[in-house]
């Protein structure tokens, strides 16, 4: 079977691309032939490791440090990418931070910190994509199944991710005249380093369970009987980046294996 290289000649930027879902998306795009820019905030070594893996597919890669919550940083990042590659066709706003907090303990500072990255930062990415992206491009924002399903002590995070659903609907209209699609990846139950840190929070009594016990419980959420992997989300991102998705915009794709919390 011929290898799918339909993104050859395209340039993608993935924020938060040095690990987890972002790294998997970046590698998937590279496998499909795209040159890829990896954004990171703290770990240059991890970002360069992903870049090297991308180059192994015979495409170009660069790393770029930027704080997504900083408007100036985001603008400079897009300028760097276009200066290096000459164009931009795909922007994946993957950066995000998770938060659990008691209702009687969350502060305004907590809310500002979460919304600065998960909402404001994603809007900054969309703004710059509008400025620099080629027509017929693809913008992908990041939400979560937490935006539509209740989880204890998760209200601030869920609100930040729910905001993205409305944001994408409006941005799809704004980008539409240029035939640029705007869609949302809303993952759930995906095994990343964030999963390792936060999985216990989703299960009552999870702090007293082993990692294997937690995974067995989370696997039961899905009719497919397993937790997700970063590659599962990357596959959906590749679909959205493809020619086959040209009539999909303003949509939220719940990449959760059919799992919903009760």
């Amino acid at each position: 079977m011929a290898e799918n290289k339909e993104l050859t000649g395209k340039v993608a930027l993935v924020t938060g691309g040095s690990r987890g879902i972002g790294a998997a998306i970046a590698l998937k795009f590279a496998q499909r032939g795209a040159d890829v820019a990896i954004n990171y905030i703290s770990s240059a070594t991890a970002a360069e490791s992903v870049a090297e893996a991308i180059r192994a597919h015979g495409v170009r890669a660069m790393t770029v440090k930027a704080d997504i919550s900083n408007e100036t940083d985001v603008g400079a990042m897009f300028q760097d990418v276009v200066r290096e590659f000459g164009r931009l066709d795909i922007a994946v706003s993957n950066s995000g931070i998770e938060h659990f907090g008691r209702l009687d303990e969350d502060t305004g500072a907590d809310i500002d910190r979460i919304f600065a990255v998960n909402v404001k930062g994603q809007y900054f990415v969309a703004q710059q994509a509008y400025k620099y992206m080629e027509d017929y491009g693809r913008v992908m924002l990041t939400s979560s199944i937490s935006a539509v399903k209740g989880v204890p002590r998760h209200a601030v995070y869920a609100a930040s991710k729910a905001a993205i659903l409305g944001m994408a609907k409006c941005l799809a209209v704004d980008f539409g005249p240029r035939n640029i699609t705007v869609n949302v990846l809303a993952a759930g139950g995906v095994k990343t380093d964030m999963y390792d840190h936060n999985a216990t929070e989703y299960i009552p009594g999870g702090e007293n369970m082993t990692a294997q016990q937690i995974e067995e419980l989370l696997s039961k959420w899905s009719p497919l009987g397993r937790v997700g992997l970063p590659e599962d989300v990357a596959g959906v991102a590749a679909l959205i980046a493809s020619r086959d998705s040209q009539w999909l915009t303003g949509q939220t794709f719940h990449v959760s294996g059919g799992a919903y919390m009760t």
Side-chain angles (χ1 to χ4, degrees), residues 138-155:
R138 301 286 189 267
V139 175
M140 299 177 219
L141 306 179
T142 302
S143 183
S144 166
I145 61 169
S146 297
V148 295
K149 294 295 176 179
V151 178
R153 299 179 297 104
H154 217 27

Side-chain angles (χ1 to χ4, degrees), residues 10-206:
K10 304 293 187 182
V11 173
L13 166 64
V14 182
T15 71
S18 65
R19 59 190 176 91
I21 291 172
I25 290 173
L27 287 167
K28 177 66 74 173
F29 289 166
Q31 291 167 6
R32 297 287 171 91
D35 299 321
V36 187
I38 300 298
N39 159 254
Y40 69 97
I41 182 60
S42 60
S43 180
T45 300
E48 185 55 38
S49 177
V50 176
E52 284 299 313
I54 287 170
R55 295 182 188 112
H57 291 283
V59 297
R60 296 178 293 169
M62 68 177 290
T63 63
V64 55
K65 181 176 181 178
D67 178 354
I68 297 305
S69 69
N70 184 296
E71 186 175 6
T72 301
D73 272 16
V74 176
M77 174 178 65
F78 274 79
Q79 290 173 12
D80 288 347
V81 172
V82 174
R83 185 182 302 115
E84 177 70 18
F85 293 134
R87 61 184 295 134
L88 179 67
D89 304 278
I90 303 163
V92 180
S93 178
N94 172 73
S95 296
I97 50 178
E98 194 157 15
H99 174 77
F100 287 86
R102 285 169 51 100
L103 180 60
D104 56 353
E105 293 179 353
D106 276 330
T107 66
D110 292 323
I111 297 170
D112 290 344
R113 178 175 61 87
I114 301 304
F115 272 67
V117 175
N118 292 359
V119 180
K120 186 169 69 172
Q122 297 210 67
Y123 193 79
F124 290 157
V125 169
Q127 280 184 318
Q128 295 301 317
Y130 189 81
K131 182 176 180 180
Y132 288 102
M133 183 171 285
E134 301 290 323
D135 289 354
Y136 295 91
R138 301 286 189 267
V139 175
M140 299 177 219
L141 306 179
T142 302
S143 183
S144 166
I145 61 169
S146 297
V148 295
K149 294 295 176 179
V151 178
R153 299 179 297 104
H154 217 27
V156 172
Y157 174 80
S160 74
K161 292 302 188 177
I164 303 306
L165 309 187
M167 184 188 295
K169 292 288 186 184
C170 295
L171 290 178
V173 176
D174 294 333
F175 279 84
R178 294 176 53 196
N179 285 287
I180 296 172
T181 67
V182 181
N183 290 291
V184 181
L185 296 167
V190 177
K191 199 170 185 179
T192 66
D193 53 351
M194 287 181 67
Y195 167 99
D196 293 337
H197 183 70
N198 293 306
T200 58
E201 301 283 358
Y202 286 92
I203 299 173

